[in-house]
Amino acid sequence: MKHAHTARLLAIALLAVSTLPLAAERPRVDTVDSARVAFGLVQAETETSGVQVHGTLAQRIPHRGAVPGAIRVQVLDAQGRVLAERDVAPMRRNRQALSAHFNTHLEVAPPSDGSVRVIHLAGSAPLG
């Protein structure tokens, strides 16, 4: 009886795993720091509706205050041509934070041999 119960649980577990969506593909991400600001961890995840990009950045000389500038996120094909682009503003978690984060979604996913480029634009306001 114990083996039948174990077999039933195993069958249920296999069925549950087979119905999970495939893991999100993670395209290559290239970051371009500015003279005053450097990126921390930046990740991109391909979704059916495009690509989700999020990460952190901080001033090279750590201090409190807003991280100046904007962040340009680009989806590139294998030849380096820009397929989609969006500018976003860095957001601090609170007034005492030494770093900021960003999060954006682009409607175009990079091809399998493409990539995502994230650039810090010093002294720029985001375009929208």
Coordinates of all heavy atoms in Angstrom, one line a residue, residues 17-27 44-48:
V17 N 4.7 19.2 -12.8 CA 5.9 19.8 -13.4 C 5.8 19.9 -14.9 O 6.2 20.9 -15.6 CB 7.2 18.9 -13.1 CG1 8.4 19.3 -14.0 CG2 7.5 19.0 -11.6
S18 N 5.1 19.0 -15.6 CA 4.9 19.0 -17.0 C 4.0 20.2 -17.4 O 4.0 20.6 -18.6 CB 4.3 17.7 -17.5 OG 3.0 17.5 -17.1
T19 N 3.2 20.7 -16.6 CA 2.3 21.8 -16.9 C 2.9 23.2 -16.6 O 2.3 24.2 -17.0 CB 0.9 21.7 -16.2 OG1 1.2 21.7 -14.8 CG2 0.2 20.4 -16.5
L20 N 4.1 23.2 -16.0 CA 4.7 24.5 -15.7 C 5.2 25.1 -17.0 O 5.7 24.4 -17.9 CB 5.9 24.3 -14.8 CG 5.5 23.9 -13.3 CD1 6.8 23.7 -12.6 CD2 4.7 25.0 -12.7
P21 N 5.1 26.5 -17.2 CA 5.7 27.1 -18.4 C 7.2 26.9 -18.4 O 7.8 26.8 -17.4 CB 5.3 28.6 -18.2 CG 5.0 28.7 -16.8 CD 4.5 27.4 -16.3
L22 N 7.7 26.9 -19.6 CA 9.2 26.8 -19.7 C 9.8 28.0 -19.0 O 9.3 29.1 -19.0 CB 9.6 26.8 -21.2 CG 9.1 25.6 -22.0 CD1 9.5 25.8 -23.4 CD2 9.7 24.3 -21.4
A23 N 11.0 27.8 -18.5 CA 11.7 28.9 -17.8 C 12.0 30.0 -18.8 O 12.3 29.8 -19.9 CB 13.1 28.4 -17.2
A24 N 11.9 31.3 -18.3 CA 12.2 32.4 -19.1 C 13.6 32.4 -19.6 O 14.5 32.1 -18.9 CB 11.9 33.7 -18.3
E25 N 13.7 32.7 -20.9 CA 15.1 32.8 -21.5 C 15.7 34.1 -21.1 O 15.1 35.1 -21.0 CB 14.9 32.7 -23.0 CG 16.3 32.7 -23.7 CD 16.1 32.8 -25.2 OE1 15.1 32.2 -25.7 OE2 17.0 33.3 -25.9
R26 N 17.0 34.0 -20.8 CA 17.8 35.2 -20.3 C 18.8 35.5 -21.4 O 19.8 34.9 -21.5 CB 18.5 34.9 -19.0 CG 17.5 34.6 -17.9 CD 18.3 34.6 -16.5 NE 17.4 34.3 -15.4 CZ 16.8 35.2 -14.7 NH1 17.0 36.5 -15.0 NH2 16.0 34.9 -13.7
P27 N 18.5 36.6 -22.1 CA 19.4 37.1 -23.1 C 20.7 37.7 -22.5 O 20.7 38.1 -21.3 CB 18.6 38.1 -23.9 CG 17.5 38.5 -23.0 CD 17.3 37.4 -22.1
A44 N 17.8 40.5 -17.7 CA 16.8 40.5 -18.7 C 16.1 39.2 -18.8 O 16.8 38.2 -18.8 CB 17.4 41.0 -20.1
E45 N 14.8 39.2 -19.0 CA 14.1 37.9 -19.1 C 13.1 38.0 -20.3 O 12.3 39.0 -20.4 CB 13.3 37.6 -17.9 CG 14.1 37.4 -16.7 CD 13.3 37.1 -15.4 OE1 12.1 37.1 -15.5 OE2 13.9 37.0 -14.3
T46 N 13.3 37.1 -21.3 CA 12.4 37.1 -22.4 C 11.1 36.6 -22.0 O 11.0 35.5 -21.3 CB 13.0 36.3 -23.5 OG1 14.3 36.8 -23.9 CG2 12.1 36.3 -24.8
E47 N 10.0 37.3 -22.4 CA 8.6 36.8 -22.2 C 7.9 36.8 -23.5 O 8.4 37.2 -24.5 CB 7.9 37.8 -21.3 CG 8.6 38.0 -19.9 CD 8.0 39.2 -19.1 OE1 7.3 40.0 -19.7 OE2 8.3 39.2 -17.9
T48 N 6.7 36.3 -23.5 CA 5.9 36.2 -24.8 C 5.6 37.6 -25.3 O 5.5 37.8 -26.5 CB 4.6 35.4 -24.6 OG1 3.9 36.1 -23.5 CG2 4.9 34.0 -24.2

